[in-house]
Amino acid sequence: RKNTKRVPSFRKLLRTSKIKLDNKLKNKQYKQQSAAKKYRKEQKKLREAVRDAISKKPFPLEECRKKQGESEKHEEEEEEDALPLDMMDEDDLKLMEDLALKASFLTRDLSSNEPVHIKKRKHESVIEKYEKVPRRMQTEPEKELIHLLPIKDKGGIIPQTMEKPGKTQILELVYNPLFCLSHLVLDFNEESLPVLTPEEMAAQRRQKLQERKMHIAALASAILSDPDNNIKKLKELRAMLMEQDPNVAVIVRKLVMVSLMEIFKDIAPSYKIRPLTEAEKATKVKKETQKLREFEEGLVSQYKFYLENLEQTIKDWKQRKLKKSNVISLKAYKGLAEIAVKCLCELLVALPHFNFHNNIIVLIVPLMNDASKMISELCCEAVKKLFKQDKLGYASLGVVKVISGLVKGRNYDVRPEVLKVFLHLRIKEVELQKDSEDIAPKKKFMTYKEKRKNLSRMQRKWKKAEEKLERELLEAEASESKEKKLKLHTETLNVVFVTYFRILKKAQKSPLLPAVLEGLAKFAHLINVEFFDDLLIVLHSLIASGGLSYRESLHCILSAFHILSGQGDVLNIDPMKFYTHLYKTLFSLHAGGTNDDVGIVLQCLDVMFAKRRKQVSQQRALAFLKRLSTLALHVLPNSSVGILATNRILMQMFPRMDLLLDNESQGSGVYLPELDEPEHCNAQNTALWELHFLQRHYHPTVQKFAAHLIAGAPTEGSAALSLDLSQRPATEHFEAYSMRGMTFNPPVASVTPRRKDTFSQMDSFIDEELNNQLQQHLSGTVVHKLLDFAKHLKESSLL
């Protein structure tokens, strides 16, 4: 009869693996208990045998007589001390006499020293019983066998067993699993082990490390070459995460983490593996299908165990927790945790479609707010990459939800970088349309001439009906994918705006406010028009409260104008208060700490004037042009270039800006530079005398822009700017030029070596003086005078 018993599947073995381990542990405990019990019984029998031998040993006659005389004397003393018999009752006396007759002390032979109740024992001697027990020789220990899974062959089932390693073998296996079991025998009877020198220990460590590396490489190469057949080697490689040799444990664990991460990135399929239903398991399938199922189940299970190991490593490091059996120090755990975080970040970006991606998100997002700056930046960069490459929006929605919950759960006490990752979301109307067109499938149908030429009348009829059905299916699929994407993006934006509005309402003094305002400025065109009025009121109240820093107030202004330049064009709102606030605070910028804020000011000016040209009056444009020209004297060269580029746009965009290039006054009144209202400061009655100072600036680009503006900012002619300067926006000019590029290069051929040294000393002196002046926040005019003086000294022959 054919054996109908099925071989247990790999999935079943995975399910029962924990039960088997528990059973093995219990069996081991039972064996230890039984061995201890057996040892106690043998010791007890040995003690009984020794006691029995002593009891049967004959005593000399003199000793017996001495003992008998001593016993008689003792009896006489007891009789003297005893009570008279006439004082006892008859019943008590009779009872004592009966007991005396039965007493073994009176009836036994005094020459023998046997125990009192020797007759109650069995007649068999204890020594004989002990001798019958088979003795174990120390040279030949009893071998215990472990039953392994059998092998099925053509001839039948072949049972497999292996010898169970002893205590010494287990210790060696823990520290060196690469050796063969036949060589793992330690001799504990040796008096002392040889003492190794530091050089020998280092060589031994290098050898062990090289062996581990070769083993990791062999396993990884086997898995990558044939994943379907070698999926079980993943378990062997993952077991090396528990390396116990203290000399190489840290490096080996790091190598295994990175190797497994690369392996999973390579062999993971491009789809999510779902668990099989009971009906699918019961259905008979082909061998290829069954093999694919086993591969997928093994891959998912090993991937899950790997992620759990990474999570446990990070958790142990965060809790400063070490296990008793661990051989890694707490200091080395930080390096392991950093490698684990890097692996999780790589898997987050590389496998957004695969299983357990949401679990990785839940692990990574809290680490964005970690106290370690390196880990925080690593996780933030991974999330930014995920946002940039996520076209459909599933992964982005999951990350945004977890971040929103983290911000709310921590009571808005998180790093601003956590919210700044929202700026990298791919939610724009242009990209949305483009992505939906990319996703929509394109099908080429036969033309009428091709049908007429290649098909019969009946075939043309069937082809027409088939193409009609295919067109309907393609339209439904394209609309469905587009609607799905729009729905995901809408839900993502709702979560983002809910987070922003919570902070604006409940945590206005939070350090997250700049990130919120920057995010509102980016996504303002996607906000519902119904919220515009309330949002503008909130932004103005934040500015008017006076509790914001200068950078935060600039973000408020930028957000307000982004809102009004998008869907807000249909609203009849004049944001004069925002213009006034920016005009009033422009002189807060200087060449010191606020020079970085010039970039935000340039963005505000671009939105306020370039995109709202029709809503801006001439008086307002003249006032800003004059104040910006004055500001260009007080900032660093890159900021001056950006401001002058903005002035060029204003002069080309608004008519009659050349009024400020003439000395004659235009109209009544006097220019009031201290007035904070741009509409009423009479800017038309002044002149741009600052451009003549800027024409003598030490920076060549600033000189070019100043000369260009004095000529009226022409678009062609000798005074026109080159293409590389005229086609760049102001913000790019600000980013392109910096003080680090400002060095003087006199002609080398006409300078002697001594003068070269003098020039280098002068350069260092100028740089040092410039830094000191900038730190003291002196005006730009003083700095320019100092640099002009240095330039004059260099060009002179006095040096």
Side-chain angles (χ1 to χ4, degrees), residues 733-768:
H733 282 297
F734 172 73
E735 296 291 338
Y737 296 96
S738 63
M739 286 297 293
R740 281 174 284 183
M742 300 299 103
T743 55
F744 297 103
N745 297 314
V748 180
S750 62
V751 180
T752 62
R754 185 175 179 181
R755 288 187 178 183
K756 272 189 185 179
D757 297 336
T758 310
F759 278 139
S760 62
Q761 293 175 5
M762 192 65 184
D763 283 337
S764 61
F765 169 75
I766 292 171
D767 292 339
E768 184 178 358

Side-chain angles (χ1 to χ4, degrees), residues 77 129 133 247 256 397 457 471 538 562 696 732:
E77 291 177 358
K129 280 188 354 182
V133 176
N247 292 327
V256 174
L397 178 60
R457 184 177 179 183
R471 282 193 183 95
V538 170
H562 270 297
R696 299 178 61 246
E732 288 190 13

Side-chain angles (χ1 to χ4, degrees), residues 478-646:
S479 62
E480 182 184 357
S481 61
K482 184 177 179 180
E483 289 174 2
K484 186 185 295 183
K485 188 165 186 173
L486 283 171
K487 185 178 178 182
L488 287 171
H489 285 188
T490 304
E491 189 176 353
T492 305
L493 265 182
N494 287 338
V495 177
V496 171
F497 286 139
V498 164
T499 307
Y500 285 165
F501 294 155
R502 275 179 187 160
I503 296 172
L504 284 175
K505 184 178 179 182
K506 298 182 179 180
Q508 292 185 357
K509 295 184 179 180
S510 170
L512 300 176
L513 192 60
V516 171
L517 297 173
E518 196 174 350
L520 287 174
K522 180 178 176 63
F523 301 114
H525 62 285
L526 300 172
I527 301 176
N528 195 343
V529 183
E530 299 174 357
F531 300 111
F532 280 2
D533 290 335
D534 296 334
L535 197 53
L536 288 174
I537 292 171
V538 170
L539 293 176
H540 182 260
S541 63
L542 285 172
I543 295 174
S545 65
L548 300 181
S549 65
Y550 184 62
R551 191 181 187 88
E552 292 171 357
S553 63
L554 290 178
H555 279 302
C556 282
I557 296 171
L558 187 61
S559 303
F561 280 99
H562 270 297
I563 291 171
L564 294 175
S565 62
Q567 302 177 49
D569 286 338
V570 299
L571 301 176
N572 189 14
I573 298 175
D574 184 17
M576 184 60 194
K577 45 198 172 185
F578 294 105
Y579 282 99
T580 303
H581 180 75
L582 182 61
Y583 181 80
K584 180 173 60 176
T585 58
L586 275 177
F587 284 147
S588 300
L589 297 171
H590 52 78
T594 61
N595 189 68
D596 295 335
D597 298 336
V598 176
I600 307 174
V601 171
L602 296 177
Q603 294 179 30
C604 292
L605 292 170
D606 180 58
V607 180
M608 293 164 72
F609 290 97
K611 295 183 180 179
R612 293 178 59 84
R613 179 175 48 191
K614 296 180 181 180
Q615 289 87 0
V616 178
S617 64
Q618 184 181 358
Q619 291 291 333
R620 197 181 300 175
L622 287 170
F624 270 93
L625 181 62
K626 174 61 179 176
R627 183 154 287 198
L628 287 173
S629 299
T630 308
L631 179 64
L633 295 172
H634 300 274
V635 291
L636 295 182
N638 58 337
S639 303
S640 297
V641 173
I643 291 171
L644 293 178
T646 304

